[in-house]
Amino acid sequence: MYAFTYNNAASVDEASQSLRKSSEGHVLAGGMSLIPTMKLRLSSPGELIDLNGLPELSGIERDGDTLTIGAMTRHAEVAASAEVASAIPALAALAGGIGDVQVRNRGTIGGSICFNDPAADYPAGLVGLGAKVVTNERSIAADDFFTGLYETALNEDEIVTAVTFPVPEKAGWSKFANLASRFAIVAVMVSASGGNVRVAVTGAKECVFRVEEMEKALAGSFSVDAIAGIKISPDNINDDHHADAEYRAHLVSVMAKRAVEVCS
């Protein structure tokens, strides 16, 4: 391992100041994405700013129709939470299917969304549920947060502190996972609230995206039949050794229908 400075941040403000001062600083949450990239020399931060000593960044709370999850809350905590299971069962299902037991007990919701892996589950969860990302500076709609391949709308010294989810009338999650990594080949989150329908897809493109044609169809009739005839073009769909573009495009339709089927 190459040399770097380790900073065990005592507060969010301290972590933000360290990021501002360091041109090569990187925030450490669960480390499930960052540490492997460091080992492979794909990332070489000069300073690691550890947020694990900040309990105020963890926790799950429901206030009326809003569910708030702290940025450092582990996937396993989200999956096991009675509050999450009661408010948004689909979100609990998403968290419970991330990686393996070790990853779920170390990985965090904040770390996952900030890394924005194109095959990660939480980006589709946030966009599909109309969530907002809360930072030490502002609140960002999930639709605006994920901007591209491994890219987000965060400023260099900005730190995610929580994610807020509006509790939907119903939501469903369906994932076709790589059996080795449990990353999504394709996964879909569907939600409906007051006539507003969202269909968000991960794993199929370089960044999470919505399928407007399906959203309009489901707004008219929230049923599998409403989207049964909607096909996704393979143009601009990921094509790799895990699945080619045509297969992934087909899976978007299949996973969307399955997500509608399991909506609760």
Side-chain angles (χ1 to χ4, degrees):
M1 183 69 76
Y2 57 86
F4 57 86
T5 302
Y6 174 77
N7 179 355
N8 189 14
S11 68
V12 173
D13 285 343
E14 179 187 310
S16 180
Q17 290 173 13
S18 295
L19 280 175
R20 193 176 302 119
K21 294 175 182 177
S22 175
S23 61
E24 298 180 347
H26 231 89
V27 167
L28 175 65
M32 294 297 94
S33 298
L34 177 59
I35 299 303
T37 62
M38 290 174 65
K39 288 181 176 180
L40 293 170
R41 299 299 192 266
L42 297 174
S43 178
S44 53
E47 180 178 5
L48 282 187
I49 303 161
D50 195 343
L51 302 182
N52 282 276
L54 305 180
E56 64 270 26
L57 294 182
S58 298
I60 300 168
E61 180 180 354
R62 180 173 180 177
D63 183 9
D65 291 331
T66 300
L67 181 71
T68 301
I69 301 178
M72 289 295 292
T73 306
R74 314 292 171 176
H75 308 320
E77 294 177 86
V78 177
S81 168
E83 289 281 12
V84 177
S86 173
I88 315 175
L91 186 60
L94 180 156
I98 295 175
D100 54 25
V101 173
Q102 290 86 349
V103 168
R104 290 193 292 275
N105 278 279
R106 287 300 303 166
T108 66
I109 185 172
S112 176
I113 64 174
C114 290
F115 197 72
N116 192 20
D117 191 293
D121 295 349
Y122 267 122
L126 268 65
V127 173
L129 292 166
K132 291 183 179 180
V133 179
V134 182
T135 78
N136 58 322
E137 298 179 0
R138 54 182 171 152
S139 177
I140 311 169
D143 285 331
D144 301 322
F145 182 79
F146 304 102
T147 59
L149 183 66
Y150 299 110
E151 295 181 349
T152 71
L154 289 174
N155 296 321
E156 290 186 1
D157 60 346
E158 198 168 8
I159 295 174
V160 174
T161 58
V163 180
T164 62
F165 296 87
V167 177
E169 293 174 3
K170 50 190 171 185
W173 169 253
S174 183
K175 175 180 174 180
F176 189 87
N178 180 304
L179 294 180
S181 68
R182 306 306 299 172
F183 274 113
I185 301 296
V186 168
V188 178
M189 178 67 82
V190 174
S191 73
S193 292
N196 179 34
V197 177
R198 286 176 167 266
V199 179
V201 182
T202 190
K205 290 187 178 182
E206 292 187 346
C207 190
V208 58
F209 65 97
R210 293 171 63 181
V211 186
E212 293 184 4
E213 187 178 2
M214 289 185 179
E215 292 176 345
K216 292 177 181 177
L218 290 170
S221 173
F222 198 88
S223 67
V224 172
D225 289 342
I227 59 173
I230 297 177
K231 306 297 182 185
I232 303 298
S233 169
D235 294 344
N236 300 316
I237 295 292
N238 291 342
D239 189 324
D240 55 34
H241 64 283
H242 297 299
D244 64 27
E246 289 190 2
Y247 186 54
R248 271 197 171 93
H250 172 69
L251 279 176
V252 172
S253 298
V254 173
M255 293 300 107
K257 288 185 284 188
R258 291 183 183 177
V260 170
E261 285 180 335
V262 300
C263 270
S264 60

